Amino acid sequence: MQDPHLRAETENMASSELSIGVIFLSLTMIGLLGNFLLLHHYLFVYLSRYRLKSTDWVLMHLIVASILTILCKGVPHTMAAFGLKDFLDDIGCKLFFSFHRLGRGLCIGCTSFLSVFQAIIISPRDSWYSELKIKTHKYSCYVLYMNWAIYFLISSMNLVHMRAIYGNESTANLKSFLYCYAVRHDQTSDIFYAALLTAPDILLLGLMLWASGYMVLTLYRHKQRMQHMPKNNFSSRSSPESKATKTILLLVSTFVSFYTISSLCQLFVTIIYNPSCSLVRVTAMASLFFPTVCPFVLMSRDSRVSSFFLCLKMSKHFHKECNQ
């Protein structure tokens, strides 16, 4: 007969695993739904031969990066939480972790470039940055492709370190990530590896904060000038630019908050010799927060997206009534 305490502990563990699985599944499904809806909007605009703004072009890449991050982190952790362990082979482990690193890096780069391009767009006419306004769309393409190339090279490091485990193979020299394993090195090598991976992130984060500070200062100066002007002299063009800037500032602040949490968790996982399952799962959840929230922040602030889905809904309703 099974010990009641042991049975209760087993039931609690099963309940905990189920709860974690539901959380991962919810984050994954909500994030994919939001990102695919927003991607559908921008693809519709692009295929309708409307010229996309430089910021819209960056947003498309940000959405693709978010989808990549969710698929490569949310899906395998959901499967692992529901009891599927060691379901990936060596190639699967290498690809999943490499593409997750690629998606995470692209999120950082796209958010940084988004803030920089918007800072250029709202810069005063007499500033040096105003000369770049005309070329932002051209530069955005080059910068985004360079961002893909850089983080593709960085993510390829996971092709060397990640691997699967088979049968009763010993895990003494492997660091567990629940469904895949990393070849364990000494602590000095792990710290050096973490510093190498985060160097581009820190550079882009600094660029993002600088551009955000510049946008806040520009908006403040614009507001101060408007207060000393008659209301009938207000520029009607300032409102959409100001709203877009505030949306990007909200997106940047959301990103920095979640990125800080994710980076701290990732740092602990990297430097700790044998990280616990709880820490690995918390790190995975933290990496899913921004890709999941990002599309809903954009949809709530962009009236064009709301109008698009409203027109789409009305069009479907109209066709349904015509067919009846």
Side-chain angles (χ1 to χ4, degrees):
M1 185 176 179
Q2 189 177 10
D3 187 358
H5 295 289
L6 182 60
R7 184 173 60 185
E9 185 178 349
T10 304
E11 291 176 354
N12 290 334
M13 289 179 62
S15 176
S16 176
E17 290 287 328
L18 180 61
S19 301
I20 292 170
V22 169
I23 293 173
F24 273 113
L25 181 62
S26 301
L27 288 172
T28 302
M29 296 302 295
I30 293 171
L32 289 177
L33 176 63
N35 280 287
F36 274 114
L37 283 174
L38 200 57
L39 183 62
H40 178 255
H41 162 70
Y42 285 113
L43 286 175
F44 177 81
V45 174
Y46 181 72
L47 295 175
S48 299
R49 297 184 180 179
Y50 292 106
R51 180 178 174 83
L52 287 174
K53 298 187 296 184
S54 56
T55 51
D56 290 339
W57 187 248
V58 179
L59 283 171
M60 283 186 65
H61 284 257
L62 177 60
I63 294 165
V64 172
S66 298
I67 292 173
L68 197 61
T69 304
I70 294 172
L71 285 175
C72 294
K73 184 60 69 171
V75 172
H77 269 278
T78 301
M79 296 174 67
F82 282 118
L84 292 173
K85 302 291 179 70
D86 303 329
F87 54 89
L88 292 173
D89 58 9
D90 279 347
I91 296 176
C93 286
K94 294 177 188 296
L95 290 179
F96 266 82
F97 274 81
S98 295
F99 280 117
H100 169 256
R101 179 64 206 180
L102 175 62
R104 186 174 183 272
L106 291 174
C107 284
I108 299 170
C110 290
T111 309
S112 179
F113 300 143
L114 190 65
S115 59
V116 170
F117 290 138
Q118 187 64 26
I120 293 172
I121 290 171
I122 68 168
S123 61
R125 293 180 180 178
D126 56 350
S127 69
W128 178 81
Y129 304 106
S130 62
E131 300 178 3
L132 300 173
K133 289 184 181 181
I134 303 175
K135 300 179 180 180
T136 51
H137 186 76
K138 178 181 178 181
Y139 288 159
S140 65
C141 296
Y142 293 146
V143 168
L144 287 170
Y145 294 143
M146 183 179 66
N147 187 43
W148 274 87
I150 291 173
Y151 276 103
F152 184 81
L153 291 174
I154 292 174
S155 64
S156 63
M157 294 181 181
N158 285 314
L159 297 175
V160 178
H161 299 290
M162 302 307 303
R163 53 160 299 183
I165 189 169
Y166 302 98
N168 296 323
E169 184 181 355
S170 174
T171 60
N173 295 321
L174 300 176
K175 182 181 290 187
S176 174
F177 287 93
L178 300 182
Y179 53 90
C180 286
Y181 297 82
V183 178
R184 184 180 281 128
H185 302 94
D186 58 274
Q187 193 171 25
T188 304
S189 299
D190 286 340
I191 294 174
F192 176 76
Y193 176 69
L196 184 64
L197 290 179
T198 55
D201 298 355
I202 294 173
L203 180 63
L204 289 170
L205 189 62
L207 191 64
M208 186 192 309
L209 295 175
W210 168 81
S212 301
Y214 179 83
M215 285 190 286
V216 171
L217 184 62
T218 303
L219 286 177
Y220 175 75
R221 288 175 176 174
H222 179 73
K223 184 178 179 181
Q224 292 295 104
R225 288 196 300 269
M226 291 298 101
Q227 288 178 350
H228 296 88
M229 293 176 62
K231 291 184 178 180
N232 56 358
N233 289 336
F234 278 21
S235 173
S236 60
R237 294 180 60 189
S238 63
S239 179
E241 290 181 354
S242 175
K243 187 175 181 180
T245 304
K246 291 176 181 177
T247 299
I248 292 175
L249 287 172
L250 176 61
L251 190 69
V252 169
S253 61
T254 304
F255 174 83
V256 171
S257 301
F258 289 143
Y259 176 77
T260 302
I261 298 172
S262 176
S263 296
L264 289 174
C265 294
Q266 189 68 45
L267 179 64
F268 290 141
V269 169
T270 302
I271 63 177
I272 293 176
Y273 189 78
N274 190 24
S276 64
C277 294
S278 300
L279 179 58
V280 172
R281 283 172 174 153
V282 169
T283 304
M285 287 181 189
S287 68
L288 291 175
F289 288 155
F290 177 74
T292 300
V293 172
C294 171
F296 299 100
V297 171
L298 294 172
M299 284 190 283
S300 66
R301 300 284 299 181
D302 194 338
S303 58
R304 296 174 304 163
V305 180
S306 302
S307 301
F308 168 75
F309 287 119
L310 180 62
C311 292
L312 192 64
K313 184 177 180 180
M314 291 177 64
S315 176
K316 289 182 178 180
H317 181 68
F318 175 76
H319 285 299
K320 183 178 180 180
E321 288 185 346
C322 289
N323 292 330
Q324 287 180 349

